[in-house]
Amino acid sequence: MRIALSLAALGSLLAFGQPAPASIERGTLRLHYVQKPIGYERYEVTPDGDLSGRSASGAKADAVKLTADFDFTDRGGRVQLAATLRAKADFTPISFQAKGKSYRFVNVDSDVRVEGSDAVVRADGAVESRVTLPAQFFTVDGYAPFSAQMLLLRYWKLHGQPRVLRTVPGQPTNDVFIEARGREAIRIGEKVTTLERFAIDGVVWGRETLWLDERGSLAAAITRAGGLSFEAVREDLEPALVQFVQRATRDRISDLESITRVNAPLKSGTYAMVGATIVDGTNRPPVADGVVLVRDGRIADAGSRAAVPVPDGVPTVDVSGKTLVPGLWDMHTHVTQIEWAPVYLASGVTTVRDMGNEFEFITLLRDAIASKRALGPRLLLAGLVDGPGPNAFGVYYAATPDEAKQAVGKYHDAGFQQIKIYSLITPPLVEAICAEAHRLGMTVTGHVPNGMTIDQAATAGMDQIAHLAIRGEAGSDEVNRVIGVLRARKTVIDPTQSWNELLGHAAGTPIAAFQPGVAKIPPPLNRLFSNAGAAGIDAAAARARLERGLRIVKALHDAGVPVVAGTDEGIPGHSVHREIELYVEAGLTPLQALQAATIVPARAMKLDAELGTIEKGKRADMVVLNANPLERIQNIRSARWTIIDGRVYDTQALWRSVRFQP
Ligand SMILES: [Zn+2]
């Protein structure tokens, strides 16, 4: 019996490692966005040659052809992509075409033809270019279709499992890293399916998880799209969706633990930062040549060199010429992959508020960071609740007050600080959710639901509102009235202006014109954002639209409505800096803009006794900047070391750990 089993296992390994069979292979994958089923990918792999699968010489077909249709509807918008990949029997690509959309705002139009040792490549409507191919290569353009990644894995298996595999289209090629992560059994009732799990890094930014069955067919894949988790599962394995999410999550947390081990803090415990200009984040003037004494994760003292002597035996870190500011906050993020953790610390962000995520992933990541097994910013969680229906978002819905209570309770029990209301929650349920959340000591943020205005949402009990949902011009009676309501209720606004700018800039304006960070992002992100921007609008009109928003931000701030910096992701890390810069463009002083990303959010989350400024007794969350942002707000981009709970991290090493340039 034992022998038979191992022979069977050996047989399946061989089958997996063999060239394509000359028969038709079909697959259907159910697509999900944050676990909600939204569509299908259907694919077929056929012998490419005559119909018998034999070439003229009588040998087996020497080529295969993959055709794939990728099709989903997310919140009312249809997304479709068609792809064809022709390859030799050993899966070496011959040609590749993909056309359509892979996500709501991501257009794909790629064409690759291999000619000898070159490839003629056209991507995103750009002109054709000729790329010299390395001996080993593959053709893939983003996560969709997943079946192309299935053939990528088969190619990798058959070609000695190289550490790095070059792919086209790229810039001019792209580096993809693949790792086999082990075999496992997926259980659905009595049925056990044995799969092999892989991590793929570089097709998109960050690691994806794919599972192949014993015949090398794709069983499941988990990636990210438009910022959130995207899952593909073969139809018969659909009941195991959460098992797949959990296994992928464990893999990724263990990857972050590896990154943590090779990026140990440069300093921790007791030490003194000496010589920097301290911008403590209060309204007090900066302190030149200051000392910050750190003891066991907290600020033991801070002030001028004369006022704060360094006790004997305490090691010092010379930071003269640099500027110390409080650790930054991003109040609107979706930390959907572990790569965000190093990115945030690298950009000086020590606390983030997550605004909706995969429950299984974000709670484990939060716990790993809180226990210091993994590096990353402090994670505060808002749990997303939407109304039901085909246009709903996520998997937690509420249509009745009972369901609302249940959803709030689930998030509360898992340690979430907030509830995030989404667009389809009905007005009466807004009140029910707010009442239950407040009863449990939580606060409520989110979108202004459909059919409500921002002041109605605030009056119904929402403590905070995401995005700048105010129509009209600053200074108008109506806008003044709305701002009056928000001021009276102390409603906190995260206006996500950097996100509006990123999506709303004229398509003809390069992102680098307003966001220099784009030059430092890894190639897959670059290709993603090269599509961002609004068509049919010129640069002046796009700027005018942005400026209308900035005038409202200024009016809110002047009225005393708390404005907190949030990005909705954007260009990882760099968008936080852009958000702060935009507040200065709106007319806030550099210190006020910095406070919108430090003490104001700390107050909004009722954590200002612990966080938000560089003051005695608070947690030692600080950023050592190479230059002073009060002199020039763009200096907020110059983080050299980031300190969280007293642990000092080298930002350059952290950027590199996730394939960004420092
Ligand atoms: Zn968001």
Side-chain angles (χ1 to χ4, degrees):
M1 185 64 185
R2 201 177 299 158
I3 290 167
L5 267 179
S6 54
L7 280 177
L10 181 65
S12 62
L13 274 173
L14 286 173
F16 183 5
Q18 275 168 6
S23 65
I24 293 177
E25 174 188 346
R26 284 196 188 90
T28 300
L29 300 156
R30 194 100 203 254
L31 305 177
H32 311 74
Y33 200 43
V34 203
Q35 296 185 21
K36 185 194 176 197
I38 54 169
Y40 291 95
E41 174 177 328
R42 295 189 171 83
Y43 68 87
E44 209 172 78
V45 184
T46 53
D48 198 24
D50 67 57
L51 290 174
S52 68
R54 308 220 160 231
S55 66
S57 65
K60 264 188 174 176
D62 53 6
V64 292
K65 184 167 121 182
L66 165 76
T67 48
D69 277 301
F70 175 89
D71 190 344
F72 69 81
T73 301
D74 173 31
R75 285 163 281 173
R78 185 137 183 221
V79 171
Q80 283 175 288
L81 181 133
T84 308
L85 171 58
R86 291 185 64 239
K88 295 179 188 167
D90 70 352
F91 303 111
T92 300
I94 299 166
S95 69
F96 172 70
Q97 289 88 31
K99 193 163 169 58
K101 278 175 186 278
S102 61
Y103 184 65
R104 299 199 294 174
F105 54 81
V106 181
N107 298 305
V108 176
D109 183 6
S110 301
D111 189 345
V112 179
R113 277 174 290 124
V114 176
E115 294 180 354
S117 59
D118 287 358
V120 178
V121 179
R122 187 182 55 71
D124 302 333
V127 289
E128 278 188 358
S129 62
R130 188 168 275 272
V131 176
T132 303
L133 294 168
Q136 296 186 337
F137 71 95
F138 201 76
T139 53
V140 63
D141 189 13
Y143 58 86
F146 289 104
S147 46
Q149 295 202 66
M150 169 180 82
L151 296 195
L152 162 72
L153 284 174
R154 291 187 194 173
Y155 176 93
W156 178 77
K157 275 275 191 183
L158 269 177
H159 290 80
Q161 311 192 1
R163 197 187 73 84
V164 188
L165 185 57
R166 303 266 135 76
T167 64
V168 280
Q171 293 172 331
T173 61
N174 187 40
D175 288 350
V176 169
F177 303 80
I178 301 174
E179 275 178 46
R181 300 298 287 256
R183 296 181 147 261
E184 65 197 346
I186 292 286
R187 275 162 218 285
I188 300 172
E190 300 286 281
K191 193 172 156 241
V192 177
T193 310
T194 304
L195 302 175
E196 189 168 14
R197 195 171 74 252
F198 299 87
I200 303 185
D201 186 5
V203 168
V204 297
W205 173 56
R207 296 157 179 83
E208 305 172 281
T209 312
L210 276 81
W211 288 261
L212 298 184
D213 69 12
E214 290 174 318
R215 291 174 308 125
S217 292
L218 189 59
I222 295 183
T223 186
R224 70 195 289 273
L228 291 172
S229 39
F230 198 100
E231 303 95 1
V233 179
R234 203 169 71 196
E235 275 186 304
D236 61 306
L237 297 169
E238 176 76 12
L241 173 63
V242 173
Q243 287 183 59
F244 286 117
V245 169
Q246 287 167 340
R247 280 161 207 243
T249 297
R250 282 207 296 273
D251 260 13
R252 298 293 79 79
I253 303 272
S254 112
D255 291 340
L256 182 57
E257 288 169 359
S258 304
I259 292 175
T260 304
R261 280 191 290 276
V262 296
N263 288 280
L266 304 176
K267 270 253 174 304
S268 59
T270 300
Y271 59 91
M273 289 267 167
V274 177
T277 298
I278 303 173
V279 175
D280 67 8
T282 71
N283 291 325
R284 286 189 289 269
V287 174
D289 195 20
V291 173
V292 177
L293 189 60
V294 175
R295 187 170 287 136
D296 301 327
R298 288 191 183 264
I299 297 166
D301 209 349
S304 68
R305 204 187 280 260
V308 182
V310 178
D312 281 349
V314 169
T316 59
V317 182
D318 180 14
V319 283
S320 20
K322 302 195 186 292
T323 301
L324 266 168
V325 299
L328 305 178
W329 292 53
D330 186 342
M331 284 291 278
H332 191 138
T333 188
H334 303 271
V335 181
T336 52
Q337 55 186 58
I338 57 107
E339 288 79 9
W340 282 94
V343 155
Y344 271 128
L345 290 187
S347 41
V349 174
T350 50
T351 309
V352 303
R353 187 258 305 268
D354 189 279
M355 286 287 262
N357 211 312
E358 202 148 36
F359 184 90
E360 292 79 1
F361 173 78
I362 199 66
T363 48
L364 252 70
L365 179 63
R366 174 200 58 192
D367 296 346
I369 292 173
S371 70
K372 300 188 170 52
R373 282 184 288 121
L375 60 75
R378 190 172 282 105
L379 268 171
L380 309 175
L381 306 185
L384 194 144
V385 185
D386 202 359
N391 293 343
F393 185 49
V395 287
Y396 296 103
Y397 312 125
T400 65
D402 267 357
E403 287 171 2
K405 266 193 163 179
Q406 232 167 54
V408 174
K410 178 181 163 88
Y411 285 125
H412 175 260
D413 293 349
F416 283 57
Q417 281 79 8
Q418 288 190 309
I419 297 300
K420 180 186 185 183
I421 285 179
Y422 210 70
S423 312
L424 298 181
I425 291 289
T426 58
L429 277 199
V430 171
E431 284 187 37
I433 288 171
C434 292
E436 180 66 1
H438 293 157
R439 190 181 72 80
L440 295 171
M442 302 170 82
T443 51
V444 178
T445 186
H447 288 198
V448 173
N450 297 342
M452 286 181 102
T453 58
I454 186 169
D455 51 308
Q456 288 168 344
T459 307
M462 288 180 70
D463 307 280
Q464 309 191 3
I465 306 281
H467 310 300
L468 195 60
I470 302 178
R471 297 188 193 290
E473 274 294 335
S476 69
D477 289 349
E478 175 56 12
V479 170
N480 285 343
R481 185 191 67 77
V482 167
I483 290 177
V485 174
L486 300 176
R487 175 181 41 205
R489 301 203 57 97
K490 301 189 174 64
T491 312
V492 175
I493 307 289
D494 73 88
T496 58
Q497 292 299 286
S498 53
W499 178 243
N500 289 14
E501 182 184 42
L502 187 63
L503 291 196
H505 75 278
T509 305
I511 292 174
F514 55 88
Q515 173 53 276
V518 76
K520 301 178 177 183
I521 65 181
L525 272 185
N526 223 323
R527 285 187 41 72
L528 190 70
F529 287 117
S530 65
N531 277 305
I537 184 169
D538 66 18
R543 179 70 199 179
R545 204 155 61 180
L546 178 69
E547 281 174 1
R548 187 200 71 88
L550 295 180
R551 282 193 294 274
I552 291 179
V553 168
K554 177 71 160 68
L556 286 166
H557 179 266
D558 288 352
V561 175
V563 172
V564 295
T567 60
D568 215 353
E569 294 208 324
I571 307 279
H574 297 278
S575 277
V576 180
H577 304 146
R578 184 60 187 155
E579 188 75 20
I580 295 169
E581 289 170 1
L582 282 171
Y583 296 166
V584 173
E585 290 188 24
L588 274 67
T589 67
L591 177 62
Q592 289 166 345
L594 179 67
Q595 288 172 332
T598 53
I599 186 63
V600 183
R603 267 188 223 120
M605 300 305 289
K606 302 187 175 74
L607 289 167
D608 50 313
E610 284 279 279
L611 301 167
T613 57
I614 301 177
E615 288 181 285
K616 190 171 174 171
K618 288 199 180 182
R619 292 194 172 275
D621 282 15
M622 299 180 280
V623 194
V624 180
L625 300 172
N626 283 330
N628 188 339
L630 300 192
E631 289 164 8
R632 190 173 166 273
I633 196 60
Q634 288 79 1
N635 292 339
I636 199 70
R637 296 176 180 273
S638 66
R640 184 62 194 87
W641 294 289
T642 298
I643 304 157
I644 178 166
D645 282 330
R647 287 167 292 143
V648 182
Y649 289 98
D650 176 353
T651 59
Q652 298 195 351
L654 291 178
W655 281 125
R656 286 196 198 95
S657 75
V658 286
R659 309 193 198 290
F660 276 62
Q661 290 169 42

